[in-house]
Amino acid sequence: MSFDSKSVPSARSLTLALDRLRGEKMITQITIDEVEKLIKTSPEQAIFDWKSDFTPPTDDEKRGELIKDISAIANAITTSYGYIIYGVDPRRSDPILGVSVRYDDAKIQQLIKGKIEPPVKILYYEVTAGLRAVGVLQIIPSRSRPHIIRTDIGKVRKGQIVIRRGSSTDGADINDLFEFFYGQHSIYF
């Protein structure tokens, strides 16, 4: 029995097919050109957060802030990806600053593991512009909202539900809870 290379599906097409069966979205990394376009054409909002640098979360204050930012964006999105872009300043003519410290996705995955319920699916990666690297923390759209903080860490408290409103983070209110449980994108009804 012989196989024609045209009839054998690629690894990417198999992964996409499995993701569709599971109802999951596959994260596709954005390029530095796409990062620049986002910064220049989109203001900071519920699904885009710009940070001038990446500060490794080495203490509870910084860990809590990162967990809060991820949870808030996950609670704000249902149909499109959310992004925290590090090493940028949209007010400058050249908005790409670069991060001063390189970081690893596995460390962030380990940091958030068990701290947000239900879990938020993310990917951290870096894209380069010459000698500068920009950090991209990409958050998969979630219909399993609300994402609730599971532990006290820094200023973040167990049981807290945070959400992005425009360019700031706020606590969820009664209208948000109705949207989470009864809204158009709810998985509960």
Side-chain angles (χ1 to χ4, degrees), residues 60-175:
D60 281 350
E61 197 76 25
K62 291 174 186 160
R63 286 190 280 271
E65 183 68 24
L66 181 60
I67 289 166
K68 179 187 72 152
D69 287 345
I70 292 169
S71 182
I73 290 176
N75 280 328
I77 59 175
T78 57
T79 57
S80 63
Y81 291 100
Y83 297 92
I84 303 173
I85 311 284
Y86 298 94
V88 298
D89 184 349
R91 297 168 296 194
R92 295 174 49 143
S93 59
D94 178 8
I96 305 296
L97 305 174
V99 292
S100 57
V101 177
R102 306 292 291 262
Y103 212 66
D104 181 43
D105 175 67
K107 291 179 182 177
I108 295 176
Q109 298 286 352
Q110 193 62 35
L111 169 70
I112 69 169
K113 185 178 182 180
K115 299 201 177 56
I116 302 172
E117 181 72 31
V120 176
K121 295 181 181 175
I122 64 148
L123 177 66
Y124 177 82
Y125 54 92
E126 293 170 351
V127 292
T128 57
L131 299 175
R132 298 171 290 181
V134 171
V136 178
L137 201 154
Q138 199 165 338
I139 303 160
I140 285 192
S142 174
R143 293 182 55 214
S144 302
R145 303 173 310 154
H147 296 280
I148 304 168
I149 308 295
R150 290 189 60 198
T151 185
D152 290 343
I153 187 163
K155 294 180 182 176
V156 178
R157 296 290 160 249
K158 179 179 182 177
Q160 193 172 2
I161 302 172
V162 291
I163 189 167
R164 285 280 289 195
R165 296 188 201 290
S167 61
S168 62
T169 298
D170 195 8
D173 61 26
I174 192 73
N175 293 321

